[in-house]
Amino acid sequence: MSPGLPPFRRLGRLRASAPLRRLRTETRLEPARLIQPLFVTDAPELVGPVDSLPGVRRFTPEELAHEGRRLAATGVGGVLVFGVPAAKDAEGSGGWQGELVPSAVAALKAAAPALVVATDVCLCPYTDHGHCGLLAADGRGLDEPATLERLAAMAVAHARAGADLVAPSAMIDGQVAALRAGLDAAGSSSTGLLAYAAKFASAFYGPFRDAARSAPTVGDRRGHQLDPGNGREALAEVRQDLAEGADAVMVKPAGPYLDVIAAVRQAFPEAVIAAYQVSGEHAMLQAAVARGWLDERRAGLEALLAIRRAGADWILTYSADRVRGWLDEESP
Ligand code: PBG
């Protein structure tokens, strides 16, 4: 104890100068840990900006080489590719038979080999009903075995095109094991699995469903996404996905679920944890920035820093490509 000084002063000494503060910093953002979601479409009328997601575009497969090089130059670690197909049907066949995402993956890997390419594996953008898989014959919920088979075929197609990671997001029981088995059987055992392990039934996905045109036409996804009140159940989902062979587990959304990220970090210290700052989180920030109510750079960095501090190794964010520039502007 230093006599005469209250404890807060002793802590305060390490804040006395910028170099000391830099040394004292516990958490830093590194662009290499960030993953940028990327939408690719074969529907000409959908190419271009997404109204509800400022800064986000739907690209043609041909535009992706340029975008991949641009993103690599910002130092981001990777991209997560979502297909937005022109054609939809009841079985979502474009997802497991189509060339949209495989061609996007191949273009990105050729243009920017250093970028990790992950792909979303879910049927909802490809089904005409907008649900994440094939509907059961009795109309109640999903036909899970048939859906798992299609999801595994989709993952294999992405892996063959060169995807480093596949990210099953349908929240169907057994999807991680089914994809792992499918990939291994197809000779793609080096392709990793980023599991959407703790995916909450969230209102914050609204703008994404607009971007991916994937809103369910009837019903919702509450039957297979987590109740926002259930932190313990989220841990059970993570445990299950790790047991099924997930290489990394995701918590989604991120900002409103920092406690869940921290709990997963504590319960599974050795796990690789990703957190997805989803479309609604991005849209909220952007809406306030557009009104002049928040400083984009400072609020953007702080929201991401909090996710990292909570325990996420990787952050999926629509601002990934901005972070390098924001950090460079930071006062010396
Ligand atoms: C489903 C999927 C969703 C998101 C990623 N994958 C939406 C959903 O469950 O409706 C949301 C991402 C975001 O909001 O940014 N395949």
Side-chain angles (χ1 to χ4, degrees):
M1 285 291 265
S2 29
L5 280 177
F8 75 88
R9 279 295 297 155
R10 284 186 288 116
L11 287 169
R13 270 181 211 131
L14 297 183
R15 296 190 203 118
S17 68
L20 274 170
R21 286 194 293 276
R22 223 170 19 243
L23 203 60
R24 175 73 179 81
T25 294
E26 296 173 25
T27 311
R28 279 201 179 81
L29 283 174
E30 296 147 296
R33 295 179 179 278
L34 304 178
I35 298 177
Q36 176 96 20
L38 209 57
F39 298 96
V40 59
T41 187
D42 54 5
E45 73 280 10
L46 294 179
V47 176
V50 178
D51 289 344
S52 53
L53 277 175
V56 176
R57 283 174 59 83
R58 299 188 201 89
F59 294 96
T60 66
E62 296 71 38
E63 289 172 328
L64 285 182
H66 178 266
E67 179 64 2
R69 281 190 293 267
R70 186 188 75 82
L71 288 172
T74 69
V76 303
V79 294
L80 174 62
V81 179
F82 291 93
V84 187
K88 300 180 185 237
D89 62 26
E91 299 205 343
S93 61
W96 35 279
Q97 286 180 327
E99 278 305 309
L100 178 61
V101 170
S103 67
V105 169
L108 286 163
K109 284 311 275 187
L115 212 54
V116 167
V117 176
T119 59
D120 188 72
V121 176
C122 185
L123 294 181
C124 64
Y126 301 91
T127 53
D128 50 18
H129 43 73
H131 286 281
C132 298
L134 278 63
L135 298 181
D138 64 4
R140 294 185 180 197
L142 297 178
D143 178 346
E144 297 200 351
T147 299
L148 290 176
E149 203 179 290
R150 305 311 195 277
L151 292 174
M154 188 172 178
V156 167
H158 296 176
R160 287 200 170 130
D164 301 289
L165 298 170
V166 292
S169 66
M171 288 301 277
I172 293 169
D173 283 344
Q175 63 177 353
V176 173
L179 263 60
R180 187 69 273 157
L183 289 166
D184 291 348
S188 297
S189 44
S190 65
T191 304
L193 273 163
L194 166 59
Y196 283 69
K199 179 173 179 177
F200 290 88
S202 174
F204 289 92
Y205 306 147
F208 172 92
R209 292 179 183 176
D210 184 19
R213 293 170 71 246
S214 67
T217 51
V218 281
D220 58 36
R221 299 193 174 124
R222 271 177 253 180
H224 49 112
Q225 297 185 352
L226 288 164
D227 179 333
N230 291 5
R232 295 195 306 270
E233 194 183 2
L235 291 180
E237 292 282 354
V238 168
R239 184 183 312 278
Q240 178 67 28
D241 281 359
L242 288 170
E244 288 184 27
D247 299 286
V249 286
M250 192 198 296
V251 176
K252 178 187 164 188
Y257 295 86
L258 294 179
D259 60 319
V260 175
I261 298 171
V264 173
R265 169 50 70 227
Q266 202 175 11
F268 305 99
E270 69 279 33
V272 176
I273 301 173
Y276 196 149
Q277 184 188 49
V278 299
S279 56
E281 300 176 73
H282 180 78
M284 265 190 328
L285 277 167
Q286 289 296 320
V289 167
R291 283 161 183 74
W293 294 343
L294 286 178
D295 179 272
E296 181 175 26
R297 190 184 70 86
R298 290 188 53 212
L301 287 173
E302 188 175 330
L304 294 173
L305 190 67
I307 295 166
R308 179 98 181 92
R309 189 193 61 234
D313 297 300
W314 304 344
I315 305 175
L316 296 103
T317 167
Y318 298 95
S319 311
D321 58 340
R322 309 287 305 280
V323 170
R324 176 77 278 150
W326 287 343
L327 291 172
D328 288 347
E329 271 179 55
E330 209 138 37
S331 48

